[in-house]
Amino acid sequence: MVSGWRKLGVIAGGGELPVVLAEHLAATRRPYFIARISPNSDVALDAHPGATHGLGQIGARMDAMREAGCDAVVLLGHVQRPDLTTLQLDDVGLAMLPTILAAMPEGDDALLRALLNEHEKAGFRVVGADQVMRDLLATAGAWGAVAPNDRHKRDIAKASKVAAASGAFDIGQGVIVCDGLVLAVEAQEGTDAMLRRAAELPTTIRGTPQARRGVLVKRPKPIQERRIDLPTIGVRTVEGAAAAGLAGIAVEAQGALAVRRDEIIAAANRAGLFVYGFTAEEVGDA
Amino acid sequence: MVSGWRKLGVIAGGGELPVVLAEHLAATRRPYFIARISPNSDVALDAHPGATHGLGQIGARMDAMREAGCDAVVLLGHVQRPDLTTLQLDDVGLAMLPTILAAMPEGDDALLRALLNEHEKAGFRVVGADQVMRDLLATAGAWGAVAPNDRHKRDIAKASKVAAASGAFDIGQGVIVCDGLVLAVEAQEGTDAMLRRAAELPTTIRGTPQARRGVLVKRPKPIQERRIDLPTIGVRTVEGAAAAGLAGIAVEAQGALAVRRDEIIAAANRAGLFVYGFTAEEVGDA
């Protein structure tokens, strides 16, 4: 897998994930090129070989990666949903416009799939972040010192079912369930904002740092293109879950990315939370 | 329908709906008794004939209604989900405890159904707020000066489908969709909080008061006991939708309650929003 490309173009949106991947590529001396998306990508990426383009400069970005010798690309990190009036599409971007417009109302995944298809048509092999760095991928079982009990596992199973139903509409990837009750469903606000509002619910229906209960579950949408936009958790997710009084976080094993796994585990152990990778069979999927 | 009871016990939680109903009963000189739930029910209800009990005093409340001559009850208004440690259940409440415990993890509707069943077993006829006051029930079509266009109707149809899927899990009743994209799904935070967070999303994916787009849809859960807990909209819903830049609000005709309909229409007209009652056929339900 990892040897399937000569030089990797990393199309880098915001957040820590592209930084972690770039550091991994540098440390393992693999040829790479960072295609930074302005203004989203982290300033830490400026120290790596690459170039910077606006989101809409799709053709210029492909040219830069091709000239640098990239034969494969990985897309990762957050990008604000484009505003067509300020997107400043270049020629290749303009040619994609009908595809973009058709995909936009369908949800985030439809939009990313369209972008991915465009890169494949242009001759790039598209790989997933987990194919570049196996350690990113969520493993099965309890990651840290704490494991979910049977009550937590029932919450995990229910949240997984709701996330699958919600994901079927390309809505979101996160759901919070506490003792069987669905507290929150993620849509465009993102996981961190969902955790903040869970922390504001009455304590009669949620846990507290003193008496933790309830779980956050993130899992891929059924329609998800797994090479892009796999659900991601990081230290901030653990901190948000801790503040909301949750007992833990569960992700689908092989179906989520962990950004700085060691730090996630340390933060979870400190707060007394579990981080758990469940299998599809475990939550009753067919 | 309306003549099916001699005296009506109004079990009144928080919010304006019980006040509107009490005022209607007083104005139309129908015999009634307000069973105020402390501390939730509005102080405006203190002026009406009735008595006040804690949420857990289920037996005492039934006795008071029976002594007052009530043969039917209506349950309405908001009640915070009970904390069993402070609920102070009386004997009848304690006898219901296993039922309450079984219903709690299933969602709000399961809990209300259990309470309703208990009143029916005790010999009360349970009626819906709309059977007492027909004007509360959402009508079909545009209510005010503004009507949804075809683009809005597509958003209404999509939001209705998502609300039906979400409601099948007894999660919530509200969904916000803007140009096909699902912005927010309501769970335990309630409609007002959902509207506030929609107002915080980037304006690239939502409307603004200057360029309104997107709709809030509320519809009953498929499993909903329609005599209790029908989705409700009021002036505050219109104000929240206006602040979030939405183009309008849509509810299922005959499937939602409008608290102070005249004021809802006036507020919607002022802000330039539509309020619309859709039929099941219109949104593509079987």
Side-chain angles (χ1 to χ4, degrees):
Chain A
M1 277 293 203
V2 176
S3 55
W5 38 270
R6 288 189 311 276
K7 186 164 183 176
L8 182 68
V10 179
I11 304 177
E16 242 187 321
L17 182 56
V19 179
V20 168
L21 197 80
E23 287 170 359
H24 171 76
L25 289 162
T28 55
R29 297 168 173 273
R30 315 223 56 215
Y32 69 101
F33 178 90
I34 307 291
R36 297 176 287 261
I37 297 176
S38 169
N40 297 284
S41 69
D42 195 293
V43 288
L45 291 172
D46 294 349
H48 294 267
T52 305
H53 300 90
L55 183 59
Q57 297 178 266
I58 300 173
R61 182 162 41 239
M62 284 187 189
D63 288 346
M65 292 192 294
R66 209 179 276 114
E67 277 162 35
C70 298
D71 56 337
V73 296
V74 57
L75 282 80
L76 74 177
H78 307 293
V79 175
Q80 270 216 346
R81 250 178 173 260
D83 174 352
L84 289 177
T85 60
T86 57
L87 191 53
Q88 296 183 291
L89 290 166
D90 63 14
D91 287 351
V92 175
L94 280 172
M96 265 194 76
L97 193 55
T99 315
I100 294 174
L101 287 175
M104 278 186 79
E106 289 176 46
D108 294 334
D109 209 55
L111 201 55
L112 288 167
R113 268 200 311 273
L115 193 62
L116 178 154
N117 288 342
E118 204 64 22
H119 283 81
E120 289 193 319
K121 275 197 287 180
F124 293 101
R125 184 176 156 210
V126 178
V127 298
D130 56 299
Q131 292 172 274
V132 180
M133 186 177 171
R134 290 292 306 175
D135 290 358
L136 286 174
L137 208 56
T139 55
W143 298 8
V146 188
N149 62 26
D150 286 349
R151 194 168 135 201
H152 301 141
K153 286 194 176 173
R154 282 194 296 274
D155 280 350
I156 291 170
K158 177 149 187 185
S160 299
K161 280 186 182 57
V162 174
S166 163
F169 286 98
D170 200 357
I171 294 177
Q173 304 166 323
V175 173
I176 300 174
V177 169
C178 181
D179 290 336
L181 187 68
V182 180
L183 299 190
V185 177
E186 179 184 345
Q188 285 290 324
E189 74 278 14
T191 307
D192 293 337
M194 177 176 63
L195 286 166
R196 280 195 296 275
R197 83 169 171 270
E200 289 167 8
L201 292 173
T203 52
T204 48
I205 57 169
R206 66 171 174 94
T208 62
Q210 291 73 42
R212 299 200 166 281
R213 56 194 181 112
V215 300
L216 163 68
V217 164
K218 291 187 81 170
R219 72 183 307 195
K221 301 168 188 168
I223 53 172
Q224 194 135 9
E225 165 56 64
R226 292 173 71 106
R227 284 175 297 175
I228 43 174
D229 196 33
L230 269 188
T232 301
I233 61 168
V235 171
R236 209 169 51 200
T237 321
V238 176
E239 291 168 349
L246 297 184
I249 298 169
V251 291
E252 189 171 323
Q254 318 298 320
L257 302 178
V259 180
R260 305 199 192 278
R261 181 185 162 103
D262 292 350
E263 293 178 24
I264 289 173
I265 293 172
N269 286 349
R270 266 196 309 276
L273 264 67
F274 63 79
V275 180
Y276 185 77
F278 61 84
T279 62
E281 300 75 47
E282 211 176 333
V283 294
D285 279 9
Chain B
M1 273 291 205
V2 178
S3 55
W5 39 269
R6 289 190 311 277
K7 186 168 185 176
L8 182 67
V10 179
I11 305 177
E16 243 188 321
L17 182 57
V19 179
V20 168
L21 197 80
E23 288 170 359
H24 172 77
L25 289 163
T28 55
R29 298 170 172 272
R30 316 222 53 214
Y32 70 101
F33 179 89
I34 307 291
R36 295 174 288 261
I37 298 176
S38 170
N40 296 285
S41 69
D42 195 291
V43 289
L45 291 171
D46 295 349
H48 293 267
T52 305
H53 300 89
L55 183 60
Q57 298 178 266
I58 300 171
R61 182 163 41 239
M62 284 186 189
D63 288 346
M65 291 191 294
R66 209 179 276 112
E67 278 163 34
C70 298
D71 56 337
V73 296
V74 57
L75 283 79
L76 74 178
H78 307 293
V79 175
Q80 270 216 343
R81 252 179 170 260
D83 174 352
L84 287 177
T85 60
T86 57
L87 192 52
Q88 297 183 291
L89 290 165
D90 63 14
D91 287 351
V92 175
L94 281 170
M96 264 193 77
L97 192 55
T99 314
I100 294 175
L101 287 175
M104 277 185 77
E106 288 176 45
D108 294 334
D109 209 55
L111 200 56
L112 288 168
R113 269 201 309 273
L115 193 64
L116 178 154
N117 288 342
E118 204 63 22
H119 283 80
E120 289 192 319
K121 275 198 286 179
F124 293 102
R125 183 175 157 211
V126 178
V127 298
D130 56 300
Q131 293 172 274
V132 180
M133 187 176 170
R134 290 292 306 173
D135 290 358
L136 286 174
L137 208 56
T139 55
W143 298 9
V146 188
N149 62 26
D150 287 348
R151 194 168 136 201
H152 302 142
K153 286 194 176 173
R154 282 194 296 274
D155 279 350
I156 292 171
K158 176 149 187 187
S160 300
K161 281 187 181 54
V162 174
S166 163
F169 286 98
D170 201 354
I171 294 178
Q173 304 167 323
V175 172
I176 300 174
V177 169
C178 180
D179 289 337
L181 187 68
V182 181
L183 298 190
V185 177
E186 179 184 345
Q188 286 291 324
E189 74 280 13
T191 307
D192 293 337
M194 177 175 64
L195 286 167
R196 279 195 297 274
R197 83 169 172 271
E200 290 167 8
L201 292 174
T203 51
T204 48
I205 57 169
R206 66 170 174 94
T208 62
Q210 290 73 41
R212 300 200 165 281
R213 54 193 184 114
V215 301
L216 162 69
V217 164
K218 292 187 80 170
R219 70 185 305 193
K221 302 167 187 168
I223 53 172
Q224 193 136 11
E225 166 56 66
R226 293 173 70 106
R227 285 174 298 176
I228 43 174
D229 196 33
L230 269 189
T232 300
I233 61 168
V235 172
R236 211 169 48 201
T237 321
V238 176
E239 290 168 349
L246 297 184
I249 298 170
V251 293
E252 188 171 324
Q254 317 298 321
L257 302 179
V259 180
R260 305 200 193 278
R261 181 186 162 100
D262 291 350
E263 293 178 25
I264 289 173
I265 293 172
N269 286 349
R270 264 197 311 276
L273 265 67
F274 63 80
V275 180
Y276 185 78
F278 61 84
T279 61
E281 300 75 47
E282 212 176 331
V283 294
D285 280 9

